Amino acid sequence: MLGVLSLEKLCNKNQIVNSDLKEFINKMLELLTVENIPEWDNECNQIKITGLGDELPEKLVVEYPEYGKNIDEITQNIREISASQIYAEWNPKISYSHLNRIQELCQVGIDTEFDLELFKKHDAGATGWGIEVSNELIEEWKKSW
C-alpha cells in the first residue's frame, strides 16, 4: 500500500497522467481486498504495466521520458512486495528493502509524509497478511497522504 501511494504521490507531484499507470495502481490496490489471489495475480499479468520487467507502454515513455526508467523500477518493486507475501515466506526486511527503494525513486519520506500510525492499525501477523483489512481503514490510508 505504501509503495502504491508513493507512486501516486510521484504522479500527482509531477502531473503524470496515464491510464495504463492508473490501471496498474488500481490493480495493486485491489490486493488489499481480493479473495482469490491466483486470479488477481493472473489479471495483473494481463494489464499493460505488469511490474514484471516488461517494457512500459510506448505512450507513457514518450510522454514522460524523464520518468520512464524510475516508473519501471518502482512498479517492479511494488510487484516484488506483493510477490514476497504471495509466493515466498514473508520476510519484512525484504519487503522493507523494496519499499525503501520505492521511497528513494519517488522522492518521498514515508516516515514523514504518511501517518504511519494509521498503518499500524492493521496487524500483519506472522504471515504478512493478518486479518482482512476493512474498507474504512483502506480509505483512512488513502486519505493519509
Side-chain angles (χ1 to χ4, degrees):
M1 176 80 181
L2 287 170
V4 176
L5 291 178
S6 297
L7 176 56
E8 277 193 313
K9 193 167 193 120
L10 172 79
C11 291
N12 291 339
K13 177 181 170 184
N14 296 290
Q15 299 176 344
I16 300 170
V17 179
N18 178 273
S19 60
D20 295 327
L21 192 53
K22 188 64 177 170
E23 180 182 36
F24 174 83
I25 289 168
N26 290 338
K27 185 54 74 177
M28 293 302 107
L29 290 175
E30 283 180 16
L31 184 56
L32 294 169
T33 58
V34 73
E35 293 184 16
N36 185 329
I37 292 173
E39 183 179 304
W40 171 86
D41 193 43
N42 184 51
E43 290 171 2
C44 290
N45 296 334
Q46 308 305 313
I47 60 179
K48 290 186 180 174
I49 298 175
T50 64
L52 298 175
D54 301 334
E55 287 187 33
L56 292 174
E58 185 177 346
K59 182 179 178 186
L60 175 63
V61 175
V62 168
E63 289 180 355
Y64 306 100
E66 66 275 27
Y67 298 106
K69 186 176 184 298
N70 282 359
I71 289 173
D72 189 40
E73 190 174 345
I74 292 163
T75 60
Q76 289 179 47
N77 276 282
I78 289 170
R79 276 305 289 272
E80 283 295 330
I81 292 170
S82 69
S84 70
Q85 291 182 238
I86 295 171
Y87 296 111
E89 183 176 329
W90 183 57
N91 182 334
K93 290 180 182 179
I94 292 172
S95 294
Y96 177 75
S97 71
H98 291 293
L99 185 57
N100 190 49
R101 184 65 182 141
I102 293 167
Q103 174 180 245
E104 291 170 4
L105 293 166
C106 292
Q107 299 178 347
V108 297
I110 288 174
D111 56 340
T112 58
E113 296 185 44
F114 294 95
D115 182 358
L116 295 181
E117 289 301 314
L118 286 175
F119 292 91
K120 291 179 184 177
K121 287 184 177 182
H122 181 260
D123 181 3
T127 64
W129 291 99
I131 62 169
E132 182 178 339
V133 181
S134 71
N135 288 330
E136 293 80 16
L137 184 53
I138 292 169
E139 287 306 312
E140 280 187 71
W141 288 347
K142 286 180 181 179
K143 291 177 186 173
S144 71
W145 63 271

